[in-house]
Amino acid sequence: MDERSPRRLTREPRLVGLDTLDRAALAAEAAAGLCERPARLAPKFFYDALGSRLFEAITALDAYYLTRTERAIFDAHGRAIAAAVLARTGAAPVMVDLGAGNGEKAARLFPLLAPRRYFAVDIALEHLRDALLARQREHPAVEMVGVGQDFSREFSLPAAIGAPRSLVFYPGSSIGNFAPEDALRLLRQARAVAAGGALLIGVDLVKPAPLLEAAYDDELGVTAAFNLNVLCHLNRLLGADFAPRGWLHRARFDGDAARVEMHLEARAAVTVRWRGGERAFAAGERIHTENSYKWTVEAFAALLRDAGYAQPRHWSDAAGWFAVFVADA
């Protein structure tokens, strides 16, 4: 090795499971949701290993404008966004990535933000393991920690691993999975984690129903596979006997509630059984699997202020389909 060449730091990412995976509790939650009328499931049940990979495939679809539009905003305004963040966090911030997935979105910002430490928070800890190994090879100087946490219930980091004036990064408009009152709770918890730093968040905006519905019901059927895969996950988790071919993927925009809803609809009458329970579904009866709330710029800025953030600023694409907000925590 040439002694004049820069020395590369070598690190191994750490994994921290803040939530002990209590399969019995998860199974009980899923079974309770199936027994409600109408039946419902939390979006977290999408994200087994296959579900996480299917979602990555969804983000590459032409119809799924969210990922590429958000990326275009960062490409066009990245320096201004980074300046707004660093003005609050200081140089080389600690970056906390909510729902990190493969970490690609955060890694695209590393050249602008130069974080010293990166926390990837996701319910799928095993999926994080492989993703962080790849990111660590690309960015050997950044300390990387994978945090297994179901932040849909509660988001926090222990004082021992957190840091003041951190950046909480929540891209992709995943905040839309939360009803407004739950989004407010999560944003307040994120503000506590940021501890005087900043929030950087992507938000999908209200637009015509055909555009929204196409994004959640693509012609290739990838989103349908993602939705139907939750039944396979339930079969393993509950010991259930769902037959995915007996169900249809449905997506629709509810203009009054400003949300896209995803459902699974029974093709024919069926009784589904699992350990300790069962549920009869009539033909056409549905399981509500996801909401994706859409916002106006004004309404989301008001939500941020209600959560205690100051000086919310936003950048958008030319069509006004998507917005990226920075706010002082």
Side-chain angles (χ1 to χ4, degrees):
M1 177 178 173
D2 188 342
E3 292 183 356
R4 293 170 297 175
S5 64
R7 185 176 180 181
R8 292 174 63 84
L9 300 177
T10 58
R11 296 180 185 267
E12 289 288 330
R14 292 190 291 130
L15 295 177
V16 178
L18 295 185
D19 289 338
T20 302
L21 183 60
D22 187 339
R23 291 184 63 85
L26 281 174
E29 181 181 346
L34 290 174
C35 290
E36 290 190 18
R37 295 190 182 275
R40 65 171 184 85
L41 293 167
K44 66 185 176 185
F45 290 104
F46 286 133
Y47 296 101
D48 62 354
L50 178 57
S52 296
R53 285 168 173 78
L54 284 169
F55 183 73
E56 289 179 19
I58 287 170
T59 65
L61 296 170
D62 288 343
Y64 196 80
Y65 61 84
L66 291 86
T67 302
R68 68 173 181 272
T69 305
E70 184 180 52
R71 182 182 297 129
I73 294 170
F74 280 118
D75 288 345
H77 304 288
R79 291 189 181 279
I81 293 169
V85 167
L86 296 175
R88 191 60 184 168
T89 63
V94 170
M95 188 174 187
V96 182
D97 186 3
L98 276 183
N102 64 10
E104 186 268 341
K105 292 180 180 180
R108 287 176 61 89
L109 298 179
F110 283 7
L112 293 171
L113 297 173
R116 68 181 184 274
R117 190 179 307 147
Y118 171 61
F119 289 106
V121 183
D122 203 287
I123 192 171
L125 186 59
E126 287 304 311
H127 185 61
L128 278 180
R129 185 189 308 273
D130 294 338
L132 281 182
L133 283 171
R135 298 299 167 209
Q136 189 73 86
R137 286 192 293 268
E138 296 166 358
H139 303 279
V142 181
E143 179 186 354
M144 297 193 180
V145 182
V147 180
Q149 186 178 61
D150 179 6
F151 60 86
S152 68
R153 295 187 303 154
E154 182 179 0
F155 174 42
S156 63
L157 291 179
I161 66 172
R165 299 183 67 190
S166 296
L167 168 65
V168 174
F169 179 50
Y170 197 21
S173 197
S174 295
I175 191 68
N177 285 151
F178 295 85
E181 61 274 15
D182 295 323
L184 180 63
R185 171 186 52 79
L186 177 60
L187 289 170
R188 285 172 173 162
Q189 292 171 350
R191 181 170 169 263
V193 169
L199 172 73
L200 175 57
I201 187 167
V203 181
D204 197 20
L205 302 179
V206 173
K207 57 185 65 65
L211 286 170
L212 290 167
E213 290 176 354
Y216 292 82
D217 193 10
D218 63 278
E219 292 182 350
L220 292 177
V222 183
T223 311
F226 173 71
N227 200 10
L228 288 163
N229 179 65
V230 76
L231 302 180
C232 299
H233 188 192
L234 293 180
N235 284 347
R236 295 191 302 274
L237 182 64
L238 295 173
D241 60 358
F242 278 102
R245 289 185 180 181
W247 296 80
L248 295 167
H249 165 68
R250 299 296 192 198
R252 70 180 185 91
F253 179 59
D254 181 338
D256 292 335
R259 71 189 188 193
V260 177
E261 298 179 0
M262 290 207 318
H263 300 258
L264 292 169
E265 181 181 299
R267 293 177 182 266
V270 62
T271 296
V272 179
R273 296 176 175 85
W274 59 87
R275 290 186 295 267
E278 64 178 44
R279 167 71 185 270
F281 291 91
E285 194 169 359
R286 294 181 173 187
I287 304 171
H288 191 164
T289 54
E290 184 183 46
N291 290 322
S292 184
Y293 284 83
K294 309 305 174 183
W295 293 86
T296 65
V297 165
E298 296 77 14
F300 196 79
L303 182 72
L304 289 172
R305 286 190 288 268
D306 288 346
Y309 293 89
Q311 300 183 32
R313 290 141 285 179
H314 80 278
W315 293 259
S316 189
D317 58 291
W321 284 7
F322 199 95
V324 172
F325 281 81
V326 172
D328 297 347

PDB file of all heavy atoms in Angstrom, residues 2-16:
ATOM      1  N   ASP A   2       0.592   2.182  -0.847  1.00  0.00           N
ATOM      2  CA  ASP A   2       1.324   3.432  -0.912  1.00  0.00           C
ATOM      3  C   ASP A   2       1.067   4.232   0.358  1.00  0.00           C
ATOM      4  O   ASP A   2      -0.070   4.554   0.678  1.00  0.00           O
ATOM      5  CB  ASP A   2       0.848   4.225  -2.135  1.00  0.00           C
ATOM      6  CG  ASP A   2       1.695   5.461  -2.380  1.00  0.00           C
ATOM      7  OD1 ASP A   2       2.396   5.883  -1.445  1.00  0.00           O
ATOM      8  OD2 ASP A   2       1.624   6.005  -3.502  1.00  0.00           O
ATOM      9  N   GLU A   3       2.119   4.547   1.126  1.00  0.00           N
ATOM     10  CA  GLU A   3       1.955   5.250   2.378  1.00  0.00           C
ATOM     11  C   GLU A   3       1.381   6.644   2.199  1.00  0.00           C
ATOM     12  O   GLU A   3       0.881   7.258   3.138  1.00  0.00           O
ATOM     13  CB  GLU A   3       3.296   5.329   3.111  1.00  0.00           C
ATOM     14  CG  GLU A   3       3.788   3.969   3.587  1.00  0.00           C
ATOM     15  CD  GLU A   3       5.071   4.104   4.362  1.00  0.00           C
ATOM     16  OE1 GLU A   3       5.600   5.236   4.460  1.00  0.00           O
ATOM     17  OE2 GLU A   3       5.565   3.089   4.876  1.00  0.00           O
ATOM     18  N   ARG A   4       1.459   7.169   0.926  1.00  0.00           N
ATOM     19  CA  ARG A   4       0.932   8.507   0.697  1.00  0.00           C
ATOM     20  C   ARG A   4      -0.572   8.496   0.464  1.00  0.00           C
ATOM     21  O   ARG A   4      -1.208   9.547   0.478  1.00  0.00           O
ATOM     22  CB  ARG A   4       1.613   9.125  -0.528  1.00  0.00           C
ATOM     23  CG  ARG A   4       3.097   9.401  -0.333  1.00  0.00           C
ATOM     24  CD  ARG A   4       3.752   9.779  -1.637  1.00  0.00           C
ATOM     25  NE  ARG A   4       3.666   8.672  -2.592  1.00  0.00           N
ATOM     26  CZ  ARG A   4       4.077   8.759  -3.864  1.00  0.00           C
ATOM     27  NH1 ARG A   4       4.574   9.898  -4.328  1.00  0.00           N
ATOM     28  NH2 ARG A   4       3.976   7.714  -4.671  1.00  0.00           N
ATOM     29  N   SER A   5      -1.166   7.324   0.183  1.00  0.00           N
ATOM     30  CA  SER A   5      -2.599   7.261  -0.060  1.00  0.00           C
ATOM     31  C   SER A   5      -3.357   7.416   1.252  1.00  0.00           C
ATOM     32  O   SER A   5      -2.841   7.054   2.321  1.00  0.00           O
ATOM     33  CB  SER A   5      -2.992   5.934  -0.715  1.00  0.00           C
ATOM     34  OG  SER A   5      -2.716   4.869   0.154  1.00  0.00           O
ATOM     35  N   PRO A   6      -4.574   7.992   1.214  1.00  0.00           N
ATOM     36  CA  PRO A   6      -5.331   8.209   2.453  1.00  0.00           C
ATOM     37  C   PRO A   6      -5.665   6.894   3.137  1.00  0.00           C
ATOM     38  O   PRO A   6      -6.004   5.904   2.488  1.00  0.00           O
ATOM     39  CB  PRO A   6      -6.596   8.935   1.975  1.00  0.00           C
ATOM     40  CG  PRO A   6      -6.717   8.614   0.524  1.00  0.00           C
ATOM     41  CD  PRO A   6      -5.321   8.435   0.021  1.00  0.00           C
ATOM     42  N   ARG A   7      -5.573   6.901   4.422  1.00  0.00           N
ATOM     43  CA  ARG A   7      -5.870   5.705   5.208  1.00  0.00           C
ATOM     44  C   ARG A   7      -7.379   5.540   5.330  1.00  0.00           C
ATOM     45  O   ARG A   7      -8.089   6.471   5.694  1.00  0.00           O
ATOM     46  CB  ARG A   7      -5.258   5.837   6.601  1.00  0.00           C
ATOM     47  CG  ARG A   7      -5.424   4.584   7.441  1.00  0.00           C
ATOM     48  CD  ARG A   7      -4.710   4.746   8.761  1.00  0.00           C
ATOM     49  NE  ARG A   7      -4.858   3.565   9.579  1.00  0.00           N
ATOM     50  CZ  ARG A   7      -4.330   3.463  10.799  1.00  0.00           C
ATOM     51  NH1 ARG A   7      -3.640   4.468  11.307  1.00  0.00           N
ATOM     52  NH2 ARG A   7      -4.499   2.351  11.489  1.00  0.00           N
ATOM     53  N   ARG A   8      -7.875   4.367   4.986  1.00  0.00           N
ATOM     54  CA  ARG A   8      -9.302   4.088   5.055  1.00  0.00           C
ATOM     55  C   ARG A   8      -9.640   3.457   6.400  1.00  0.00           C
ATOM     56  O   ARG A   8      -8.970   2.549   6.860  1.00  0.00           O
ATOM     57  CB  ARG A   8      -9.732   3.145   3.926  1.00  0.00           C
ATOM     58  CG  ARG A   8      -9.651   3.780   2.561  1.00  0.00           C
ATOM     59  CD  ARG A   8      -9.952   2.757   1.484  1.00  0.00           C
ATOM     60  NE  ARG A   8     -11.301   2.227   1.587  1.00  0.00           N
ATOM     61  CZ  ARG A   8     -12.374   2.832   1.074  1.00  0.00           C
ATOM     62  NH1 ARG A   8     -12.257   3.991   0.449  1.00  0.00           N
ATOM     63  NH2 ARG A   8     -13.567   2.299   1.181  1.00  0.00           N
ATOM     64  N   LEU A   9     -10.665   3.995   7.030  1.00  0.00           N
ATOM     65  CA  LEU A   9     -11.117   3.432   8.289  1.00  0.00           C
ATOM     66  C   LEU A   9     -11.935   2.186   8.017  1.00  0.00           C
ATOM     67  O   LEU A   9     -12.691   2.117   7.058  1.00  0.00           O
ATOM     68  CB  LEU A   9     -11.969   4.451   9.037  1.00  0.00           C
ATOM     69  CG  LEU A   9     -11.282   5.764   9.398  1.00  0.00           C
ATOM     70  CD1 LEU A   9     -12.283   6.696  10.065  1.00  0.00           C
ATOM     71  CD2 LEU A   9     -10.087   5.524  10.309  1.00  0.00           C
ATOM     72  N   THR A  10     -11.752   1.190   8.814  1.00  0.00           N
ATOM     73  CA  THR A  10     -12.543  -0.030   8.671  1.00  0.00           C
ATOM     74  C   THR A  10     -13.416  -0.177   9.887  1.00  0.00           C
ATOM     75  O   THR A  10     -12.955  -0.062  11.029  1.00  0.00           O
ATOM     76  CB  THR A  10     -11.630  -1.267   8.527  1.00  0.00           C
ATOM     77  OG1 THR A  10     -10.782  -1.351   9.673  1.00  0.00           O
ATOM     78  CG2 THR A  10     -10.789  -1.176   7.268  1.00  0.00           C
ATOM     79  N   ARG A  11     -14.698  -0.426   9.650  1.00  0.00           N
ATOM     80  CA  ARG A  11     -15.661  -0.573  10.737  1.00  0.00           C
ATOM     81  C   ARG A  11     -16.594  -1.723  10.412  1.00  0.00           C
ATOM     82  O   ARG A  11     -16.736  -2.125   9.266  1.00  0.00           O
ATOM     83  CB  ARG A  11     -16.508   0.697  10.900  1.00  0.00           C
ATOM     84  CG  ARG A  11     -15.779   1.956  11.311  1.00  0.00           C
ATOM     85  CD  ARG A  11     -16.775   3.089  11.406  1.00  0.00           C
ATOM     86  NE  ARG A  11     -16.164   4.375  11.674  1.00  0.00           N
ATOM     87  CZ  ARG A  11     -15.989   4.888  12.877  1.00  0.00           C
ATOM     88  NH1 ARG A  11     -16.381   4.211  13.941  1.00  0.00           N
ATOM     89  NH2 ARG A  11     -15.447   6.080  13.039  1.00  0.00           N
ATOM     90  N   GLU A  12     -17.231  -2.190  11.434  1.00  0.00           N
ATOM     91  CA  GLU A  12     -18.330  -3.129  11.273  1.00  0.00           C
ATOM     92  C   GLU A  12     -19.575  -2.481  11.859  1.00  0.00           C
ATOM     93  O   GLU A  12     -19.525  -1.936  12.969  1.00  0.00           O
ATOM     94  CB  GLU A  12     -18.053  -4.447  12.008  1.00  0.00           C
ATOM     95  CG  GLU A  12     -16.980  -5.300  11.360  1.00  0.00           C
ATOM     96  CD  GLU A  12     -17.451  -5.925  10.055  1.00  0.00           C
ATOM     97  OE1 GLU A  12     -18.668  -6.188   9.931  1.00  0.00           O
ATOM     98  OE2 GLU A  12     -16.597  -6.133   9.170  1.00  0.00           O
ATOM     99  N   PRO A  13     -20.699  -2.491  11.142  1.00  0.00           N
ATOM    100  CA  PRO A  13     -21.920  -1.915  11.714  1.00  0.00           C
ATOM    101  C   PRO A  13     -22.381  -2.715  12.922  1.00  0.00           C
ATOM    102  O   PRO A  13     -22.191  -3.931  12.993  1.00  0.00           O
ATOM    103  CB  PRO A  13     -22.929  -2.006  10.570  1.00  0.00           C
ATOM    104  CG  PRO A  13     -22.401  -3.075   9.674  1.00  0.00           C
ATOM    105  CD  PRO A  13     -20.911  -3.029   9.794  1.00  0.00           C
ATOM    106  N   ARG A  14     -22.946  -2.016  13.896  1.00  0.00           N
ATOM    107  CA  ARG A  14     -23.512  -2.666  15.072  1.00  0.00           C
ATOM    108  C   ARG A  14     -25.013  -2.810  14.901  1.00  0.00           C
ATOM    109  O   ARG A  14     -25.655  -2.023  14.226  1.00  0.00           O
ATOM    110  CB  ARG A  14     -23.233  -1.841  16.337  1.00  0.00           C
ATOM    111  CG  ARG A  14     -21.788  -1.784  16.764  1.00  0.00           C
ATOM    112  CD  ARG A  14     -21.665  -1.162  18.144  1.00  0.00           C
ATOM    113  NE  ARG A  14     -21.996   0.257  18.157  1.00  0.00           N
ATOM    114  CZ  ARG A  14     -22.845   0.815  19.009  1.00  0.00           C
ATOM    115  NH1 ARG A  14     -23.499   0.068  19.904  1.00  0.00           N
ATOM    116  NH2 ARG A  14     -23.083   2.118  18.977  1.00  0.00           N
ATOM    117  N   LEU A  15     -25.577  -3.817  15.539  1.00  0.00           N
ATOM    118  CA  LEU A  15     -27.018  -4.014  15.553  1.00  0.00           C
ATOM    119  C   LEU A  15     -27.501  -3.977  16.989  1.00  0.00           C
ATOM    120  O   LEU A  15     -26.934  -4.630  17.864  1.00  0.00           O
ATOM    121  CB  LEU A  15     -27.400  -5.352  14.906  1.00  0.00           C
ATOM    122  CG  LEU A  15     -27.096  -5.511  13.423  1.00  0.00           C
ATOM    123  CD1 LEU A  15     -27.474  -6.913  12.958  1.00  0.00           C
ATOM    124  CD2 LEU A  15     -27.842  -4.478  12.599  1.00  0.00           C
ATOM    125  N   VAL A  16     -28.553  -3.198  17.216  1.00  0.00           N
ATOM    126  CA  VAL A  16     -29.113  -3.044  18.560  1.00  0.00           C
ATOM    127  C   VAL A  16     -30.606  -3.329  18.478  1.00  0.00           C
ATOM    128  O   VAL A  16     -31.329  -2.653  17.736  1.00  0.00           O
ATOM    129  CB  VAL A  16     -28.885  -1.612  19.105  1.00  0.00           C
ATOM    130  CG1 VAL A  16     -29.507  -1.471  20.481  1.00  0.00           C
ATOM    131  CG2 VAL A  16     -27.404  -1.276  19.130  1.00  0.00           C
TER     132      VAL A  16
END
